[in-house]
Amino acid sequence: MKTESGQAIIESVWILLLLALLLTLIKDVIQPQNMQQQQRIDRSRAEIWRFGSPAQASDTGDYAFARQAQKVLGPIAQLTGLKLASDNLRLLTKNEEQVAMARILDAWQAGEPGALSARPALLTPAARLNELGLPQIQRLLSWLHFTEEFAPGQLRWGYVNPDATPLELECAQKRECR
């Protein structure tokens, strides 16, 4: 019986030694490599999300959705004058400091505060009526006492309320928020 109890102690010591070896391996090898890889991912993420065009990333429109979208966006640009960019895929290549990443940018957002209402107005069906002289006809019609609501200040064709446009877009362009 005494030999069997000695064997259990020896097996327990071996298991404890293997567990200690495994914990040492995790602490000295796996954890530092994991931290290094996480830092590479964090640097890459910061680079690809940087406002503007980062030096190490490239923007391209060579992907399936962009090619198909151009078939629809081309006629819209001709009819309305609205330019919707399709080169909105930002690619970051792999190197010693970074990992490879891709990000689809929101390239259709307004570039300046005035475009926050002008760009969506181009997509309304009645936006071109203002260019055809409809406000002058409305002015004439509004002289009648029962058609005051047809005045150009009351009935605006192709109008988009700028107060309903998200403020975050304006803040992203100016890099400051009110």
Side-chain angles (χ1 to χ4, degrees):
M1 270 210 198
K2 293 187 178 195
T3 59
E4 292 177 6
S5 63
Q7 182 177 353
I9 291 174
I10 291 175
E11 288 176 1
S12 297
V13 168
W14 275 106
I15 290 175
L16 288 174
L17 284 175
L18 286 175
L19 185 60
L21 180 65
L22 180 63
L23 290 174
T24 304
L25 178 69
I26 289 172
K27 182 179 92 46
D28 293 340
V29 178
I30 297 174
Q31 173 66 10
Q33 288 181 355
N34 185 35
M35 290 300 292
Q36 181 183 17
Q37 185 66 12
Q38 186 61 46
Q39 289 172 351
R40 287 181 68 208
I41 291 170
D42 291 342
R43 281 191 296 269
S44 301
R45 191 173 290 137
E47 182 71 20
I48 206 161
W49 282 92
R50 184 182 300 170
F51 186 76
S53 184
Q56 298 175 350
S58 62
D59 294 343
T60 182
D62 190 24
Y63 61 102
F65 177 77
R67 289 189 294 271
Q68 295 301 321
Q70 277 305 333
K71 294 177 183 176
V72 175
L73 297 178
I76 288 175
Q78 289 176 346
L79 291 172
T80 64
L82 180 65
K83 303 290 186 226
L84 298 172
S86 63
D87 56 345
N88 58 348
L89 178 66
R90 181 170 286 171
L91 295 173
L92 187 65
T93 56
K94 179 181 178 181
N95 60 26
E96 295 287 328
E97 297 291 319
Q98 300 170 359
V99 295
M101 283 192 176
R103 173 183 169 216
I104 300 254
L105 303 171
D106 184 16
W108 293 357
Q109 67 184 358
E112 67 229 10
L116 287 172
S117 59
R119 286 177 56 121
L122 290 173
L123 292 173
T124 60
R128 294 287 182 190
L129 293 176
N130 287 328
E131 296 173 10
L132 297 175
L134 190 62
Q136 285 75 17
I137 296 171
Q138 283 181 272
R139 216 171 266 112
L140 289 173
L141 281 175
S142 68
W143 285 349
L144 300 173
H145 73 281
F146 58 89
T147 58
E148 293 173 351
E149 63 272 3
F150 287 119
Q154 297 289 325
L155 179 61
R156 296 181 274 187
W157 300 96
Y159 174 73
V160 174
N161 185 359
D163 295 332
T165 307
L167 183 63
E168 293 84 22
L169 295 178
E170 185 176 345
C171 291
Q173 294 300 322
K174 290 183 178 180
R175 290 191 178 201
E176 62 185 36
C177 292
R178 298 177 211 166

